[in-house]
Amino acid sequence: MSSSLIAAIRDSSCADVLARWLPDLVAAGFRRVTVFHSLAQNGSGELDQLRPALDRLNLTTSSLGVETDLTLKRGEASAWLLAMAELRPTDVIVLRRRGAGALLDVLAEWSRVPVIALPDARPPEPARGLARPALVAGYREEVVLAVARRVIREPVVIVAADAHHALPEGTGAVISGPVSAGTPAAELLDGARCPVLLVTDRALRVAAPSNQTRDSAASVSEP
């Protein structure tokens, strides 16, 4: 069962997005949250601007009974996140999908744990975790699924890697391996209205070298 995550917040809007989705993450089994923020080298007053959002986030974590700590560091966010994921028990790194850009690109290649990218908007419904997940068909999907199973235990359906192929109704999470920018799969992920669990290049290499195969067909079904 998943239990611990690192949440990267770049600004107050990222903290608000995390607070919005936190009930779903808790419903999915996460009980410990490390909130990480990279301070600018000359960020005078930066923490004061961020504090109201951190206070709102703290109220949410307290109401959900989540163990939380705040980590502030100066320097490159990606380097700190990669190091933290190595040095402490961590199941996933979570961030706001909008504006993640280069940070998400680095994590997608080098993080030892999967990354969950959150959309800004959340449906007005009770928290349901990462229910009814859909796996985007693609490169080494059986290994992608094996890694994702450490985070998401729900039954999974496979969907075509096509931006014009609608996700099944009620999809609560999308699972994918690394995708190239500008491809139909990337467009599908960008348009997803639910969290996206990205299994990183490194996680794939660790889970199964390229000459090793796994059979996970029994745990995958077609929609």
Side-chain angles (χ1 to χ4, degrees):
M1 175 66 72
S2 300
S3 62
S4 182
L5 64 84
I6 297 173
I9 58 170
R10 300 183 302 279
D11 51 31
S12 59
S13 60
C14 292
D16 289 338
V17 169
L18 174 62
R20 201 171 297 144
W21 285 99
L22 196 59
D24 294 275
L25 295 171
V26 171
F30 294 101
R31 294 294 181 269
R32 292 190 300 275
V33 177
T34 296
V35 178
F36 169 81
H37 175 68
S38 177
L39 294 164
Q41 293 297 334
N42 298 310
S44 178
E46 178 182 357
L47 192 54
D48 289 337
Q49 295 176 13
L50 188 60
R51 186 167 285 113
L54 292 176
D55 289 342
R56 292 192 295 272
L57 179 59
N58 186 57
L59 287 174
T60 302
T61 57
S62 297
S63 68
L64 295 169
V66 176
E67 180 182 339
T68 310
D69 64 270
L70 174 64
T71 299
L72 302 172
K73 298 290 185 181
R74 294 193 185 276
E76 187 64 40
S78 58
W80 280 115
L81 288 167
L82 293 173
M84 290 168 62
E86 292 284 348
L87 296 174
R88 62 181 67 189
T90 303
D91 296 293
V92 295
I93 295 173
V94 177
L95 45 67
R96 180 191 186 193
R97 187 161 72 226
R98 182 179 179 183
L103 174 60
L104 183 56
D105 290 343
V106 172
L107 295 178
E109 182 172 2
W110 295 108
S111 174
R112 74 167 183 86
V113 298
V115 176
I116 293 180
L118 300 174
D120 282 13
R122 185 193 174 281
E125 59 186 25
R128 59 194 183 101
L130 303 176
R132 302 189 66 180
L135 171 67
V136 178
Y139 174 67
R140 303 179 72 190
E141 62 191 46
E142 75 285 351
V143 186
V144 170
L145 178 61
V147 175
R149 283 292 186 207
R150 303 168 191 170
V151 179
I152 300 177
R153 303 298 181 91
E154 302 282 342
V156 174
V157 297
I158 297 179
V159 298
D162 184 341
H164 302 292
H165 183 98
L167 293 169
E169 185 177 354
T171 297
V174 180
I175 302 168
S176 176
V179 297
S180 300
T183 63
E187 293 178 22
L188 177 65
L189 298 180
D190 287 342
R193 297 182 179 180
C194 59
V196 172
L197 176 72
L198 181 64
V199 176
T200 67
D201 274 324
R202 184 180 174 198
L204 285 178
R205 292 194 298 268
V206 170
S210 58
N211 62 348
Q212 179 181 347
T213 59
R214 294 185 179 184
D215 182 10
S216 300
S219 58
V220 181
S221 61
E222 295 292 342

